[in-house]
Amino acid sequence: MKSCIVSEFRSYIDLTDQECELVQSLERDPREFRKDEIITAEGDPAKTIFTISSGWVASCRHLANGNRQILDVYLPGQIVGMRKIGFEQSMNSIVAIGPVVACPYPKRNLIKTFDDSPRLTEVVMLMLAQQQSLLVERIMSLGQRSADCSLAHFVLELRARLKTSDLNLKTPLTQELIADTLGVTSVHISRTLTDLTQKSLLEWSAGTFKILNLDALVELAGFDPSYLEPDVNWIRDP
Amino acid sequence: MKSCIVSEFRSYIDLTDQECELVQSLERDPREFRKDEIITAEGDPAKTIFTISSGWVASCRHLANGNRQILDVYLPGQIVGMRKIGFEQSMNSIVAIGPVVACPYPKRNLIKTFDDSPRLTEVVMLMLAQQQSLLVERIMSLGQRSADCSLAHFVLELRARLKTSDLNLKTPLTQELIADTLGVTSVHISRTLTDLTQKSLLEWSAGTFKILNLDALVELAGFDPSYLEPDVNWIRDP
DNA sequence: CGTGGGGTTGATTCTTATCAATTCGGGTGG
DNA sequence: CCACCCGAATTGATAAGAATCAACCCCACG
């Protein structure tokens, strides 16, 4: 399989051969996970980071009452668990949405990379900053947007992250996953979806969204993709 | 004035004299801001980062409909605007809560520090990871906690961040600020506060919280401060 | 054929928003 | 020193949005 993580890094900067090698070393040990398998659990020691080769993954946290909040959805090529750099214990679990191939590697390896390449360190920092802006957008949805706006925004964000111009998005998500992401119940997602369908904005069936009216959806969501477009100019030359 | 930012960095690692100098250079140009003054606005070019010398500051984002969400509250010593490292445009504004002294400096200076000291780079990365975990906790409040839990959690988080064992917290906040942070209305904050007071958990007057029953508050909030305690062991030696 | 996970629908309740009126309290100017 | 004013907080009445509970449908899969 072509290295997902290399092409992820390449989407930020050009890699020298040596850098390429360094990055590749993060994707050496592919492991398969079944749908709904817990890749790491809350409270586990924060020693292992994962790179996703294929499939989607969610990081989530549970409250004492059992409520689950999905913090972020990760797509192939992404590094999962970078927050763990700063902590001894993993504070959220990572779950496979559908079948997944992911490569675990010790946190130490990533830190080692910092020693070897200040340039890659800067890319990692950029990734952290970008993840923050995803979290910020989630906060906006949870705190200020109504369910229909949030849902529209969520779909548009996914589409932008998938870098596709297709109006049909195939996902391994369920309505319950979406609900736990947007902080509402799955029942409410169902109703909201039929609402949006009646308004000829969006359809959902069997795991795929079909965008019926892109402009109206963007308008409803107030979607501005600039938070997904990083600035790489400050990163030093090789 | 003693350098706030140096002591902030010192709370993570010991600084060599040289590092100390580097860090100090980030706090050279103190400027005063009035209460409610906008320090930077959404859409401004993301060139300037701030270090807070005194006072509190909030970063917030507005929606098209005028709704405001406060993303984070920053205390003296903290670096504000690190997310901007990754973007050309500032995607949220920074507002002075009460009178503030803050030191602006070009983003480039921070990046320059990365060249000069891999060790400080690692501290900055740790700060980013820690900010993420604050955002995550906010997401949990917005998405899954009821207003009273969120409020209790918010107060306990503040107390932990202020590193005080006092049960009285003096803040420059208003109920409206708190409301915009927790994603509810100020009216609802008012009601929730009187609720908590009736239950002898918490009092509020003239900008200070008085914790009446710490244990019960921790229990209600499900508060676990470990997300505020970074792991610094991986940072390289000087 | 059952079985079960995912989705839909309806009835009802609960939390929070909204709008509006009122109070409180600390400054300011006469 | 008092009257006034303003921002902040409180209170009440009502409405909207979302949760909850429960029943039911659909359909892929053993």
Side-chain angles (χ1 to χ4, degrees):
Chain A
M1 169 173 324
K2 223 181 100 279
S3 170
C4 278
I5 187 162
V6 168
S7 57
E8 174 80 4
F9 270 84
R10 283 232 167 90
S11 76
Y12 291 93
I13 55 168
D14 290 328
L15 297 180
T16 65
D17 290 350
Q18 194 201 357
E19 284 165 350
C20 208
E21 195 120 335
L22 267 171
V23 172
Q24 286 238 18
S25 73
L26 301 180
E27 200 178 10
R28 284 264 162 77
D29 176 23
R31 285 189 49 196
E32 296 192 8
F33 297 92
R34 298 180 309 278
K35 176 167 146 56
D36 294 333
E37 192 169 349
I38 293 171
I39 299 178
T40 63
E42 293 172 54
D44 282 2
K47 295 207 161 131
T48 311
I49 295 185
F50 291 83
T51 298
I52 307 179
S53 298
S54 73
W56 294 21
V57 144
S59 79
C60 49
R61 260 205 57 198
H62 290 84
L63 250 36
N65 62 17
N67 280 11
R68 176 177 73 165
Q69 173 70 43
I70 293 180
L71 304 168
D72 214 338
V73 173
Y74 295 89
L75 309 181
Q78 288 202 282
I79 298 179
V80 184
M82 282 201 288
R83 263 194 296 284
K84 284 189 235 180
I85 288 179
F87 298 91
E88 287 179 32
Q89 291 222 330
S90 182
M91 267 154 320
N92 37 254
S93 54
I94 298 174
V95 184
I97 308 175
V100 161
V101 177
C103 301
Y105 56 89
K107 182 165 79 170
R108 272 239 63 91
N109 284 15
L110 190 60
I111 294 168
K112 182 69 166 46
T113 314
F114 300 163
D115 295 346
D116 295 340
S117 168
R119 203 154 166 266
L120 294 179
T121 307
E122 286 171 358
V123 175
V124 169
M125 197 168 296
L126 198 81
M127 289 173 172
L128 273 173
Q130 235 201 321
Q131 279 189 14
Q132 274 202 19
S133 71
L134 281 185
L135 293 179
V136 164
E137 215 50 48
R138 174 120 318 130
I139 286 175
M140 293 309 291
S141 281
L142 292 169
Q144 303 298 336
R145 292 197 257 254
S146 56
D148 50 351
C149 293
S150 298
L151 182 53
H153 197 278
F154 177 75
V155 173
L156 293 170
E157 177 176 297
L158 267 186
R159 179 160 174 273
R161 289 179 62 194
L162 290 167
K163 298 184 170 96
T164 178
S165 56
D166 201 332
L167 291 177
N168 296 326
L169 305 180
K170 189 160 164 29
T171 81
L173 298 169
T174 64
Q175 290 190 9
E176 185 153 12
L177 265 314
I178 299 169
D180 287 349
T181 305
L182 302 182
V184 297
T185 58
S186 62
V187 173
H188 197 56
I189 288 291
S190 172
R191 292 193 223 272
T192 305
L193 274 168
T194 68
D195 268 16
L196 291 181
T197 304
Q198 265 161 21
K199 290 178 187 154
S200 301
L201 296 181
L202 184 67
E203 267 178 15
W204 161 270
S205 74
T208 88
F209 290 106
K210 181 174 295 190
I211 296 175
L212 303 177
N213 184 337
L214 182 58
D215 292 344
L217 211 60
V218 168
E219 162 79 12
L220 172 65
F223 183 71
D224 170 1
S226 60
Y227 72 100
L228 296 167
E229 295 155 4
D231 172 22
V232 297
N233 294 315
W234 60 275
I235 295 180
R236 68 183 76 184
D237 291 329
Chain B
M1 171 173 324
K2 224 180 100 281
S3 169
C4 278
I5 186 161
V6 168
S7 58
E8 175 80 3
F9 269 84
R10 282 232 167 91
S11 76
Y12 290 93
I13 56 168
D14 290 329
L15 298 179
T16 65
D17 291 348
Q18 194 201 356
E19 285 165 349
C20 209
E21 196 120 335
L22 267 170
V23 171
Q24 286 238 17
S25 72
L26 303 180
E27 199 177 11
R28 283 265 162 76
D29 176 24
R31 286 188 47 197
E32 296 192 8
F33 297 91
R34 298 181 308 279
K35 174 165 148 56
D36 294 333
E37 191 169 350
I38 294 171
I39 299 178
T40 64
E42 293 172 55
D44 282 0
K47 295 206 161 134
T48 311
I49 295 186
F50 291 83
T51 298
I52 307 180
S53 296
S54 73
W56 294 21
V57 143
S59 79
C60 48
R61 259 205 60 198
H62 294 262
L63 251 36
N65 63 18
N67 279 12
R68 176 177 72 166
Q69 174 69 44
I70 293 180
L71 303 168
D72 214 340
V73 172
Y74 294 89
L75 309 181
Q78 288 202 281
I79 299 179
V80 184
M82 282 201 287
R83 264 194 295 284
K84 285 190 237 180
I85 289 180
F87 298 91
E88 287 179 32
Q89 291 222 331
S90 182
M91 267 154 321
N92 36 253
S93 54
I94 298 174
V95 184
I97 308 175
V100 160
V101 176
C103 301
Y105 56 89
K107 183 166 79 169
R108 272 240 62 90
N109 284 15
L110 190 60
I111 293 168
K112 182 68 166 46
T113 314
F114 299 163
D115 294 346
D116 294 340
S117 168
R119 204 155 165 264
L120 293 180
T121 308
E122 286 172 357
V123 175
V124 169
M125 197 169 294
L126 198 80
M127 289 173 172
L128 273 173
Q130 234 201 323
Q131 278 188 14
Q132 275 202 18
S133 72
L134 281 186
L135 293 179
V136 164
E137 214 52 47
R138 175 119 319 133
I139 285 175
M140 293 308 291
S141 282
L142 293 169
Q144 303 298 336
R145 291 196 258 254
S146 56
D148 51 349
C149 292
S150 298
L151 182 53
H153 197 278
F154 177 76
V155 173
L156 292 170
E157 178 177 295
L158 266 186
R159 179 161 174 273
R161 290 179 62 193
L162 289 168
K163 299 184 169 98
T164 177
S165 56
D166 201 332
L167 292 177
N168 297 326
L169 304 180
K170 188 160 166 27
T171 81
L173 299 169
T174 64
Q175 290 188 11
E176 185 152 12
L177 265 315
I178 300 169
D180 286 349
T181 306
L182 303 182
V184 297
T185 58
S186 61
V187 174
H188 197 57
I189 288 291
S190 173
R191 292 194 222 272
T192 306
L193 275 167
T194 68
D195 266 18
L196 291 180
T197 304
Q198 263 162 22
K199 289 178 188 154
S200 300
L201 295 182
L202 185 67
E203 267 178 15
W204 163 270
S205 75
T208 87
F209 291 106
K210 181 174 293 189
I211 296 175
L212 302 177
N213 185 338
L214 183 57
D215 291 345
L217 210 61
V218 168
E219 162 79 12
L220 172 64
F223 183 70
D224 170 1
S226 59
Y227 72 100
L228 296 168
E229 295 155 4
D231 172 22
V232 297
N233 294 316
W234 59 276
I235 295 179
R236 68 182 75 185
D237 290 329

